Amino acid sequence: MAITAQLVKELREMTGAGMMDCKKALVEVEGDLEKAVDWLRQKGMAKAAKKSGRATSEGLVTVTLSDDGKTVAMASLLCETDFVARGEQFQNMAAKLAKTVLDNAPADAVALESLMGEEVTQLIASVGENMQIGKFARHTKPGESSVIGQYIHANSKIGVLVFLTCGKAESAAKPEVQELAKNIAMQVAAASPMALDAASLDQAAVEREREVYRQKALEEGKPANIVDKIADGAVKKFQKDVCLMEQPYIRDDKKTISDIVRETGKTVGDEITVTGFERIQLAAE
């Protein structure tokens, strides 16, 4: 029989399973609604759906590198409890998720879900706890002069990738540059910057900040001719707080990240540029 959208919708309402899973179940059993419910239960999909509303604030962020070291992938798998996150089954699934991102370069969350969703659903049914595929990132070095710094925090709930380029390929392999990349990744983990620098900062956020301080100055009765100066000063402080290159270095707050990048460049005799970063934090998803 024909599998209508109404039939799929009805099965979804009965089981809470995903639309595509419901359609697949109906195709498998030739449109028999009761058999489709059983099929979903047998596959663990109906059971998983019942848990879908439960909070997933625990889990793991994992990172994996290609064999040639040129491509890195980072992915997060979320669950309800730390107990499950520390289990071997969950850890293996989290590692497989990152490897899937590395090997398949999914374009978005929907693409990754199509690759790994069924396996995660099976694990939900097995473990009895809600899980979700979280954020992910994948980056390939544009050339031999590029460096990828990575850092996974001790609790595995924060993961960071940082991307650097050097003027000369031989500089990328130097221990000082490798150490710099790791230290900046630790900075991103600890300080959670919003953007690389002022130029890449969301201008809407900048204008909101500016307007907040303009109105605050006006309410405090500041003279109109200095209100904009006060707002400009507040924006500069805001940028220092949220832009990676302007942030005080966590190991020496008398220096900025720009300072330590320049210092390392002088040490190795080359120009080093931080080109970007990716940060995943479980509790923030």
Side-chain angles (χ1 to χ4, degrees), residues 54-60 77-87 90-91 127-132 155 157 282:
R54 303 209 306 227
T56 50
S57 57
E58 298 293 336
L60 295 172
L77 184 63
L78 297 89
C79 60
E80 295 177 50
T81 64
D82 182 59
F83 175 78
V84 165
R86 287 186 280 111
F90 187 87
Q91 291 187 357
V127 174
E129 185 168 302
N130 189 27
M131 298 173 194
Q132 291 181 16
N155 61 10
K157 292 183 180 181
L282 294 188

Side-chain angles (χ1 to χ4, degrees), residues 250-262:
I250 54 173
R251 292 184 170 179
D252 183 353
D253 61 11
K254 293 181 175 60
K255 299 177 181 178
T256 66
I257 297 303
S258 291
D259 292 334
I260 67 164
V261 171
R262 273 194 302 270

